[in-house]
Amino acid sequence: MTLLSALPRRRLARYLHALGVGMLLAVATSSSWAVQRVVKVGVYNNPPKIFAAPDGQPSGILGDLLVAMAKEEDWTLQPVACNWQDCLDALKAGRIDLLPDVAFSSERAQQLDFHAISALQSWSQLYKNKNAQITSMLDLNGKRIAVVAGSIQAPFLKGLLESFAIHAELVPVDSFERGFERAQAHQVDAVAANRYFGDTQSGRYQMESTAIVFQPVLLYYATAKGRNADLLQAIDRHLKAWQASSDSPYALAVKRWMQAPEQQDLPVYVFWVMGSLALLLVVALLLTRWLRQQVTQKTAHLLASEQRLNTILDGVDAAIYIKDTELHYQYANSALCKLFGSRPADIVGHGDNTFFDELTANKLRLNDLRVIEHGERVEDEEVTRTADGKLERSYLSVKLPLRDPDGHIYALCGISTDITQRKQAEETIFQLAFYDPLTGLPNRRLLHDRVHQVLTSLVRKAQGVALMFVDVDNFKDINDTLGHDTGDQLLLQMAKRMRACVRNEDTLARQGGDEFVVMLVDLDAHPEEAARQAQLVGQKILDQLSQPYVLDGQSCQCSVSIGVALLDGATSSRDDIFKQADLAMYQAKAAGRNTLRFFNPQMQAQVIARTSLEADLRWALKSHEFVLYYQPQVDADDTVLGYEALVRWLHPMRGLVAPGEFIAAAEACGVILPLGHWILQTACQQLLAWSQHAPQNTWSIAVNVSAQQFRQSDFVVQIRGILLATGINPALLELELTESQLVDDVPGVIEKMKALRELGVRLSLDDFGTGYSSLGMLKRLPLHQLKIDQSFVRDMLNDAQDASIIRAIITMGESLDLDVIAEGVELPAQRDALFALGCRQFQGYLFGKPAPLPALAPTI
């Protein structure tokens, strides 16, 4: 990304426009803006929640909210105008990405995805012409009611009418606006709408609301099933932040679209006249109704009304209840009865201590008293447990005071919605984000957060803190030999044992793979004593983890290495303390198994020196500071057969540097790959220089190949290219491989060796006898030569076991028709002993030290 493309887009555009470089603007913005998210939004006419503004963009409460989110998230909204049913069909088919104003239901949840936090709460209501006589559900008999096709009101209203045995015709329309138009034209008697549209738009159509209210719902933005999860996550994030603020885009949108328009003040006497007329009308109606009905009719009507109300309340998923001032239940709907497993008659008159355990009952009582004694409206998340202690649920409860005409509180009404599944989902998400799924321990993210908190607290509270890195020794071998499932069992048992070694206030985490981290807090403020305490805990962990494990019915043992770093005020950052503990852990590994080491400044100095060495190596490669020394290889007559090429570093300050001082660092920093390629090229160029002279044209050169170099996927291609470029005889180039290179991916190693042999290159197994090679493996390898390691040659005159090993290697080579050469021959007695055992090729100080080629050998 260029510097220009990293600027904010609007600022970049103004800047480039001011400079008059339109061509540069096109280039800079094409790459940066290409990633801007385009979101197709379904927009249907349902003011004030959602409708299209004159410019086509979404407007209304949910439209304004979406525009504000798009600005924050850098989305480009592409509105798609449609009626409700077409919008819903387009969303399911994936033709649009997002649809606002979708009421949640379990049926829709099977086809659509919703975010977690509701955007709005609503309910449905019937609206009628002002002169229509519709005051209750019974008045709907024989009436025509407009409902939006595909809306959530349609099936619910149909079921509600059927439950009351009311025969009314539901007339489908494509929008609330169309429904109100038909009602105004007297084509229908009433229209079902949500309270947002009805309350704000009914006046335009000379309509008014009725007392028939039903189906409270939560409204969301929805996406097609399994698509655009990132949109829902972003919406949840903004809703959570904005709903808690009184001046947020959320609050401003609701205020803008739900605030009643300013009206002209009417003379006071108009209100008095209208109020008086209304009062006289009410009195007259009540008197007429009382005169018409007998006592039995009034009783029947009251019972019917109560049954209808119970039907509505029992149709709600939430638990609805009324408690008196003594906190005894006076009413319970079916959801509460189901929760308690009791009939309404068995609930009324009893308190919470009958149905919940003592702790839950006391917590509920505290909230209830806030309502009864202080008249508060209480919204709270309540965790309940039944009296038998078996069922625990979470509820979002809203409790309101009920007052008599004098304003005195005589009861409370509560609505409790079960949010247990939502809480469980949130807990699952939290677990996945901050805990290791295998061991259940805190993961790397949570560990870093806790370390950061501790570092911050050190300023306020003096305490000792230790960070331990616990690494399982040779865990890869366990996985490779016993299988990954067995490796997982081992990690689980280790985690269980380590939990028993630390306190509750300490942190035990799995950082990944076979690495665990322990953070010990509240240690002694003096570093010496804190180190002693950490040493005790670390030793306890070592002792526990070194005990045998039973894995798949088999007993096995395992060891760990522990590195410890102490936190103090001088620690600059979390990264520093992690590096220190990691360095200490590697120091422990170098010291042997089941070892604990503390970080110290000397270790840091070693790291700095290693870093400096790696930088010097990179510079040396560019500056051609490396040279090749050659050590002769001879036969039984001391005739030179060839040379082994050995790299040396001519450091401008340190002089000649032996490979033992820099090869490990070169492998660690990656310099070994270009360095190894240079060695091969230089050796082959030397063979080319010898090719025109005798006897040098028969000499070979052996080159050591590092494990990293050999594992390159194009290593064979590199060798082929060097051979073609120099034109040398491939049989004069000998590649020396170590036994450690043959352990991993044996089939792949054999295939690569065969490809090298097909090129004509000779292959030698270096340091033979020190690794893991078996006769079975050697039979499969396309080798030409075995090289006896100098460690056996050094002590062969004094150690009969070393002499026996050498005899076995020579015998093995003869049986496999392989040449055998001994390295490290320094004494004539060693040469004679080797000759007596059957060895016919030698290399060592007895025949020549590594040095630049002698003058008699033509050089490049």
Side-chain angles (χ1 to χ4, degrees), residues 156-222:
F156 190 92
L157 184 58
K158 180 180 178 182
L160 192 62
L161 292 171
E162 290 175 354
S163 67
F164 282 90
I166 294 175
H167 302 286
E169 180 183 359
L170 298 183
V171 180
V173 294
D174 58 5
S175 66
F176 293 132
E177 186 177 26
R178 180 58 181 156
F180 274 78
E181 289 173 355
R182 297 194 66 175
Q184 186 181 28
H186 300 287
Q187 296 174 356
V188 295
D189 301 294
V191 57
N194 65 70
R195 64 109 170 182
Y196 289 98
F197 186 98
D199 291 352
T200 58
Q201 303 295 317
S202 58
R204 290 177 49 199
Y205 302 94
Q206 289 77 50
M207 305 279 288
E208 63 183 11
S209 62
T210 70
I212 302 174
V213 179
F214 60 96
Q215 197 181 21
V217 294
L218 298 177
L219 303 178
Y220 298 81
Y221 299 84

Coordinates of all heavy atoms in Angstrom, one line a residue, residues 156-222:
F156 N -50.6 -14.8 13.3 CA -50.9 -14.6 14.7 C -52.4 -14.1 14.9 O -53.2 -14.6 15.7 CB -50.0 -13.6 15.4 CG -50.1 -13.6 16.9 CD1 -49.4 -14.4 17.7 CD2 -51.1 -12.8 17.5 CE1 -49.5 -14.4 19.1 CE2 -51.2 -12.8 18.9 CZ -50.4 -13.6 19.7
L157 N -52.8 -13.1 14.0 CA -54.1 -12.6 14.1 C -55.2 -13.6 13.7 O -56.2 -13.7 14.3 CB -54.3 -11.3 13.2 CG -55.6 -10.6 13.3 CD1 -55.9 -10.2 14.7 CD2 -55.6 -9.4 12.4
K158 N -54.8 -14.4 12.7 CA -55.7 -15.5 12.3 C -55.9 -16.5 13.4 O -57.1 -16.9 13.7 CB -55.1 -16.2 11.1 CG -56.0 -17.3 10.6 CD -55.3 -18.0 9.4 CE -56.2 -19.2 8.9 NZ -55.5 -19.9 7.7
G159 N -54.9 -16.9 14.1 CA -55.0 -17.8 15.2 C -55.8 -17.2 16.4 O -56.6 -17.9 17.1
L160 N -55.6 -15.9 16.6 CA -56.3 -15.2 17.7 C -57.8 -15.1 17.4 O -58.6 -15.4 18.3 CB -55.7 -13.8 17.9 CG -56.1 -13.0 19.1 CD1 -55.6 -13.7 20.4 CD2 -55.5 -11.6 19.1
L161 N -58.2 -14.8 16.2 CA -59.6 -14.8 15.8 C -60.2 -16.2 15.9 O -61.4 -16.3 16.4 CB -59.8 -14.2 14.4 CG -59.4 -12.8 14.2 CD1 -59.4 -12.4 12.7 CD2 -60.3 -11.8 14.9
E162 N -59.5 -17.2 15.5 CA -60.1 -18.5 15.6 C -60.3 -19.0 17.0 O -61.2 -19.7 17.4 CB -59.1 -19.5 14.9 CG -59.2 -19.4 13.4 CD -58.1 -20.3 12.7 OE1 -57.4 -20.9 13.4 OE2 -58.1 -20.3 11.5
S163 N -59.3 -18.5 17.9 CA -59.5 -18.9 19.3 C -60.7 -18.3 20.0 O -61.2 -18.8 21.0 CB -58.2 -18.5 20.1 OG -58.1 -17.1 20.2
F164 N -61.1 -17.1 19.5 CA -62.3 -16.5 20.0 C -63.6 -16.8 19.2 O -64.7 -16.3 19.4 CB -62.1 -14.9 19.9 CG -61.3 -14.4 21.0 CD1 -59.9 -14.3 20.9 CD2 -61.9 -14.0 22.2 CE1 -59.1 -13.8 21.9 CE2 -61.1 -13.5 23.3 CZ -59.7 -13.4 23.1
A165 N -63.4 -17.7 18.2 CA -64.5 -18.1 17.3 C -65.2 -17.0 16.6 O -66.4 -16.9 16.5 CB -65.6 -18.9 18.2
I166 N -64.3 -16.0 16.2 CA -64.8 -14.8 15.5 C -64.5 -15.0 14.0 O -63.4 -15.4 13.6 CB -64.0 -13.6 16.0 CG1 -64.4 -13.3 17.5 CG2 -64.3 -12.4 15.2 CD1 -63.6 -12.2 18.1
H167 N -65.5 -14.8 13.2 CA -65.4 -15.0 11.8 C -65.2 -13.7 11.1 O -66.1 -12.8 10.9 CB -66.7 -15.7 11.2 CG -67.0 -17.0 11.9 ND1 -66.3 -18.1 11.6 CD2 -67.9 -17.3 12.8 CE1 -66.8 -19.1 12.3 NE2 -67.8 -18.7 13.0
A168 N -63.9 -13.4 10.8 CA -63.6 -12.2 10.1 C -62.7 -12.5 8.9 O -62.0 -13.5 8.9 CB -62.8 -11.2 11.1
E169 N -62.7 -11.7 7.9 CA -62.0 -11.9 6.7 C -60.7 -11.1 6.7 O -60.7 -9.9 6.9 CB -62.8 -11.5 5.4 CG -62.0 -11.8 4.1 CD -62.8 -11.3 2.9 OE1 -63.9 -10.8 3.1 OE2 -62.3 -11.4 1.8
L170 N -59.5 -11.8 6.6 CA -58.2 -11.2 6.5 C -57.9 -10.9 5.1 O -57.8 -11.8 4.2 CB -57.2 -12.1 7.1 CG -57.3 -12.4 8.6 CD1 -56.2 -13.2 9.1 CD2 -57.5 -11.1 9.5
V171 N -57.7 -9.6 4.7 CA -57.5 -9.2 3.3 C -56.0 -8.9 3.2 O -55.5 -7.9 3.8 CB -58.3 -7.9 3.0 CG1 -58.1 -7.5 1.6 CG2 -59.8 -8.2 3.2
P172 N -55.3 -9.6 2.4 CA -53.8 -9.4 2.2 C -53.6 -8.1 1.4 O -54.2 -7.9 0.4 CB -53.3 -10.7 1.5 CG -54.5 -11.2 0.8 CD -55.7 -10.8 1.6
V173 N -52.6 -7.3 1.8 CA -52.1 -6.2 1.1 C -50.6 -6.2 1.1 O -50.0 -7.0 1.8 CB -52.6 -4.9 1.8 CG1 -54.1 -4.7 1.7 CG2 -52.1 -4.8 3.2
D174 N -50.0 -5.4 0.2 CA -48.5 -5.5 0.1 C -47.8 -4.6 1.0 O -46.5 -4.6 1.0 CB -48.1 -5.3 -1.4 CG -48.5 -4.0 -1.9 OD1 -49.1 -3.2 -1.1 OD2 -48.3 -3.7 -3.1
S175 N -48.5 -3.7 1.7 CA -47.8 -2.7 2.6 C -48.8 -2.2 3.6 O -50.0 -2.2 3.4 CB -47.1 -1.6 1.8 OG -48.1 -0.8 1.2
F176 N -48.3 -1.7 4.7 CA -49.2 -1.0 5.7 C -49.9 0.2 5.0 O -51.1 0.5 5.3 CB -48.4 -0.5 6.9 CG -47.9 -1.7 7.8 CD1 -46.6 -1.7 8.2 CD2 -48.7 -2.7 8.1 CE1 -46.1 -2.7 9.0 CE2 -48.2 -3.8 8.9 CZ -46.9 -3.7 9.3
E177 N -49.1 0.9 4.2 CA -49.7 2.1 3.6 C -50.9 1.7 2.7 O -51.9 2.4 2.7 CB -48.6 2.8 2.7 CG -49.0 4.1 2.1 CD -47.9 4.7 1.3 OE1 -47.0 4.0 0.8 OE2 -47.8 5.9 1.2
R178 N -50.8 0.6 2.0 CA -51.9 0.2 1.1 C -53.1 -0.2 2.0 O -54.2 0.0 1.6 CB -51.4 -1.0 0.2 CG -52.5 -1.5 -0.7 CD -53.0 -0.5 -1.6 NE -54.1 -1.0 -2.5 CZ -55.0 -0.3 -3.0 NH1 -55.1 1.0 -2.8 NH2 -55.9 -0.9 -3.8
G179 N -52.8 -0.9 3.1 CA -53.9 -1.2 4.0 C -54.6 0.0 4.5 O -55.9 0.0 4.6
F180 N -53.9 1.0 4.9 CA -54.6 2.2 5.4 C -55.4 2.9 4.3 O -56.4 3.5 4.5 CB -53.5 3.2 6.0 CG -53.2 2.9 7.5 CD1 -52.4 1.8 7.8 CD2 -53.8 3.6 8.5 CE1 -52.1 1.5 9.1 CE2 -53.5 3.4 9.8 CZ -52.7 2.3 10.1
E181 N -54.8 2.9 3.1 CA -55.6 3.5 2.0 C -56.9 2.8 1.7 O -57.9 3.4 1.5 CB -54.7 3.4 0.7 CG -53.5 4.4 0.7 CD -52.6 4.1 -0.5 OE1 -52.8 3.2 -1.3 OE2 -51.6 4.9 -0.6
R182 N -56.9 1.4 1.8 CA -58.1 0.7 1.6 C -59.1 0.9 2.7 O -60.3 0.9 2.5 CB -57.8 -0.8 1.5 CG -56.9 -1.1 0.2 CD -56.9 -2.6 -0.1 NE -58.2 -3.1 -0.5 CZ -58.4 -4.3 -1.0 NH1 -57.4 -5.2 -1.1 NH2 -59.7 -4.7 -1.3
A183 N -58.6 1.0 4.0 CA -59.4 1.3 5.1 C -60.1 2.7 4.9 O -61.3 2.9 5.2 CB -58.7 1.2 6.4
Q184 N -59.3 3.7 4.5 CA -59.8 5.1 4.3 C -60.9 5.1 3.2 O -61.9 5.8 3.3 CB -58.7 6.0 3.9 CG -59.1 7.4 3.8 CD -57.9 8.3 3.4 OE1 -57.0 7.9 2.7 NE2 -57.9 9.6 3.8
A185 N -60.7 4.2 2.2 CA -61.7 4.1 1.1 C -62.8 3.2 1.4 O -63.7 2.8 0.6 CB -61.0 3.6 -0.2
H186 N -62.9 2.7 2.7 CA -64.0 1.8 3.2 C -64.0 0.5 2.5 O -65.1 -0.1 2.4 CB -65.3 2.5 3.1 CG -65.4 3.8 3.9 ND1 -65.5 3.8 5.3 CD2 -65.3 5.1 3.5 CE1 -65.5 5.1 5.7 NE2 -65.4 5.9 4.7
Q187 N -62.9 0.1 1.9 CA -62.8 -1.2 1.3 C -62.6 -2.3 2.3 O -62.9 -3.5 2.1 CB -61.7 -1.3 0.2 CG -62.0 -0.3 -0.9 CD -60.8 -0.3 -1.9 OE1 -59.8 -0.9 -1.7 NE2 -60.9 0.5 -3.0
V188 N -62.0 -1.9 3.5 CA -61.9 -2.8 4.6 C -62.3 -2.1 5.8 O -62.4 -0.8 5.8 CB -60.4 -3.3 4.8 CG1 -60.0 -4.2 3.6 CG2 -59.5 -2.2 5.0
D189 N -62.6 -2.8 6.9 CA -63.1 -2.2 8.1 C -62.0 -1.8 9.1 O -62.2 -0.8 9.9 CB -64.1 -3.1 8.9 CG -65.3 -3.5 8.0 OD1 -66.1 -2.6 7.7 OD2 -65.4 -4.7 7.6
A190 N -60.9 -2.5 9.0 CA -59.8 -2.2 9.9 C -58.5 -2.7 9.3 O -58.5 -3.4 8.3 CB -60.0 -2.9 11.3
V191 N -57.4 -2.2 9.9 CA -56.1 -2.6 9.3 C -55.2 -3.0 10.5 O -55.2 -2.3 11.5 CB -55.5 -1.6 8.4 CG1 -55.3 -0.2 9.2 CG2 -54.1 -2.0 7.9
A192 N -54.4 -4.1 10.4 CA -53.4 -4.5 11.4 C -52.1 -3.9 11.0 O -51.6 -4.0 9.9 CB -53.4 -6.0 11.5
A193 N -51.5 -3.2 12.0 CA -50.2 -2.6 11.7 C -49.3 -2.6 13.0 O -49.9 -2.7 14.1 CB -50.3 -1.1 11.2
N194 N -48.0 -2.4 12.8 CA -47.2 -2.2 14.0 C -47.4 -0.8 14.6 O -47.9 0.1 13.9 CB -45.7 -2.5 13.7 CG -45.2 -1.4 12.8 OD1 -45.0 -0.3 13.1 ND2 -44.9 -1.9 11.5
R195 N -47.1 -0.7 15.9 CA -47.5 0.6 16.6 C -46.7 1.8 16.0 O -47.1 2.9 16.1 CB -47.3 0.4 18.1 CG -45.8 0.2 18.5 CD -45.2 1.4 19.2 NE -44.0 1.1 19.9 CZ -43.3 2.0 20.6 NH1 -43.8 3.2 20.7 NH2 -42.1 1.6 21.1
Y196 N -45.5 1.6 15.5 CA -44.7 2.7 15.0 C -45.4 3.3 13.8 O -45.6 4.5 13.7 CB -43.3 2.2 14.5 CG -42.4 1.9 15.7 CD1 -42.2 0.5 16.1 CD2 -41.7 2.9 16.4 CE1 -41.4 0.2 17.2 CE2 -40.9 2.5 17.5 CZ -40.8 1.2 17.9 OH -40.0 0.9 18.9
F197 N -45.8 2.5 12.8 CA -46.5 3.0 11.6 C -47.8 3.5 12.0 O -48.2 4.6 11.6 CB -46.6 1.9 10.5 CG -47.1 2.4 9.2 CD1 -46.3 2.7 8.2 CD2 -48.5 2.5 9.0 CE1 -46.8 3.1 7.0 CE2 -49.0 3.0 7.8 CZ -48.1 3.3 6.8
G198 N -48.6 2.8 12.8 CA -49.9 3.2 13.1 C -50.0 4.5 13.8 O -50.8 5.4 13.5
D199 N -49.1 4.6 14.9 CA -49.2 5.8 15.7 C -48.8 7.1 15.0 O -49.2 8.2 15.3 CB -48.3 5.6 17.0 CG -48.9 4.6 17.9 OD1 -50.1 4.2 17.7 OD2 -48.2 4.3 18.9
T200 N -47.8 6.9 14.0 CA -47.3 8.1 13.3 C -48.1 8.4 12.0 O -48.1 9.5 11.5 CB -45.9 7.9 13.0 OG1 -45.7 6.7 12.2 CG2 -45.0 7.8 14.3
Q201 N -48.8 7.4 11.4 CA -49.4 7.6 10.1 C -50.9 7.6 10.1 O -51.5 7.9 9.1 CB -48.9 6.5 9.2 CG -47.4 6.4 9.0 CD -46.8 7.7 8.4 OE1 -47.4 8.2 7.4 NE2 -45.7 8.2 8.9
S202 N -51.5 7.1 11.2 CA -53.0 7.0 11.2 C -53.7 8.3 11.0 O -54.8 8.3 10.4 CB -53.4 6.3 12.6 OG -53.0 7.1 13.6
G203 N -53.1 9.4 11.5 CA -53.8 10.7 11.3 C -53.9 11.1 9.9 O -54.8 11.8 9.5
R204 N -52.9 10.7 9.0 CA -53.0 11.0 7.6 C -54.2 10.4 6.9 O -54.7 11.0 5.9 CB -51.7 10.5 6.9 CG -50.4 11.3 7.3 CD -49.2 10.6 6.6 NE -49.5 10.5 5.2 CZ -48.8 9.7 4.4 NH1 -47.9 8.9 4.9 NH2 -49.1 9.6 3.1
Y205 N -54.7 9.3 7.4 CA -55.8 8.6 6.7 C -57.1 8.7 7.5 O -58.0 7.9 7.3 CB -55.4 7.1 6.6 CG -54.1 6.9 5.8 CD1 -52.9 6.8 6.5 CD2 -54.1 6.9 4.4 CE1 -51.7 6.6 5.7 CE2 -53.0 6.7 3.7 CZ -51.8 6.5 4.4 OH -50.6 6.4 3.7
Q206 N -57.2 9.7 8.5 CA -58.4 9.8 9.3 C -58.7 8.5 10.0 O -59.9 8.1 10.1 CB -59.6 10.3 8.4 CG -59.5 11.8 8.0 CD -58.5 11.9 6.8 OE1 -58.6 11.2 5.8 NE2 -57.6 12.9 6.9
M207 N -57.7 7.9 10.5 CA -57.9 6.6 11.2 C -57.5 6.8 12.7 O -56.8 7.8 13.0 CB -56.9 5.5 10.6 CG -57.1 5.3 9.1 SD -58.5 4.2 8.7 CE -57.9 2.7 9.3
E208 N -58.0 5.9 13.5 CA -57.6 5.9 14.9 C -57.4 4.5 15.5 O -57.8 3.5 14.9 CB -58.7 6.6 15.7 CG -60.1 5.9 15.7 CD -61.2 6.6 16.4 OE1 -60.9 7.8 16.8 OE2 -62.2 6.0 16.7
S209 N -56.6 4.4 16.5 CA -56.3 3.1 17.1 C -57.5 2.6 17.9 O -58.3 3.3 18.4 CB -55.1 3.3 18.0 OG -55.3 4.1 19.1
T210 N -57.5 1.3 18.0 CA -58.5 0.6 18.8 C -57.8 0.1 20.1 O -56.6 0.2 20.2 CB -59.1 -0.6 18.0 OG1 -58.1 -1.6 17.9 CG2 -59.6 -0.2 16.6
A211 N -58.6 -0.5 20.9 CA -58.1 -1.1 22.2 C -57.5 -2.5 22.0 O -57.1 -3.2 22.9 CB -59.1 -1.1 23.3
I212 N -57.6 -3.0 20.7 CA -57.1 -4.3 20.4 C -55.6 -4.3 20.1 O -55.2 -3.9 19.1 CB -57.9 -4.9 19.2 CG1 -59.4 -4.9 19.5 CG2 -57.5 -6.3 18.9 CD1 -60.3 -5.3 18.4
V213 N -54.9 -4.8 21.1 CA -53.4 -4.8 21.0 C -53.0 -6.3 21.2 O -53.5 -7.0 22.0 CB -52.7 -4.0 22.1 CG1 -51.2 -4.1 22.0 CG2 -53.2 -2.5 22.0
F214 N -52.0 -6.7 20.3 CA -51.6 -8.1 20.4 C -50.1 -8.2 19.9 O -49.6 -7.3 19.3 CB -52.5 -9.0 19.5 CG -52.6 -8.6 18.1 CD1 -51.8 -9.3 17.1 CD2 -53.4 -7.6 17.6 CE1 -51.8 -8.9 15.8 CE2 -53.4 -7.2 16.3 CZ -52.6 -7.9 15.4
Q215 N -49.6 -9.4 20.2 CA -48.3 -9.8 19.7 C -47.1 -8.8 19.9 O -46.7 -8.2 18.9 CB -48.4 -10.1 18.2 CG -47.3 -11.0 17.7 CD -47.4 -11.3 16.2 OE1 -48.1 -10.5 15.5 NE2 -46.7 -12.3 15.7
P216 N -46.6 -8.7 21.1 CA -45.4 -8.0 21.3 C -44.2 -8.7 20.6 O -44.1 -9.9 20.7 CB -45.2 -7.9 22.8 CG -45.9 -9.1 23.3 CD -47.1 -9.3 22.4
V217 N -43.4 -8.0 19.9 CA -42.3 -8.6 19.1 C -41.0 -7.7 19.3 O -41.1 -6.6 19.7 CB -42.6 -8.7 17.6 CG1 -43.7 -9.7 17.4 CG2 -42.9 -7.3 17.0
L218 N -39.9 -8.4 19.0 CA -38.6 -7.7 18.9 C -38.2 -7.6 17.4 O -38.3 -8.6 16.7 CB -37.5 -8.5 19.7 CG -37.8 -8.7 21.2 CD1 -36.7 -9.5 21.8 CD2 -37.8 -7.3 21.9
L219 N -37.7 -6.4 17.0 CA -37.4 -6.2 15.6 C -35.8 -6.2 15.4 O -35.1 -5.6 16.3 CB -37.9 -4.8 15.2 CG -39.5 -4.7 15.4 CD1 -39.9 -3.3 14.9 CD2 -40.2 -5.8 14.5
Y220 N -35.4 -6.7 14.3 CA -34.0 -6.9 14.0 C -33.7 -6.6 12.5 O -34.6 -6.4 11.7 CB -33.5 -8.3 14.2 CG -33.7 -8.8 15.6 CD1 -34.9 -9.3 16.1 CD2 -32.6 -8.9 16.5 CE1 -35.0 -9.8 17.4 CE2 -32.7 -9.3 17.8 CZ -33.9 -9.8 18.2 OH -34.1 -10.2 19.5
Y221 N -32.4 -6.5 12.2 CA -31.9 -6.6 10.8 C -31.7 -8.0 10.6 O -31.1 -8.7 11.5 CB -30.7 -5.8 10.6 CG -30.8 -4.3 10.9 CD1 -30.6 -3.8 12.2 CD2 -31.0 -3.4 9.8 CE1 -30.7 -2.4 12.4 CE2 -31.1 -2.0 10.1 CZ -31.0 -1.5 11.4 OH -31.1 -0.2 11.6
A222 N -32.0 -8.5 9.4 CA -31.8 -10.0 9.1 C -31.0 -10.2 7.9 O -31.0 -9.3 7.0 CB -33.2 -10.6 9.0

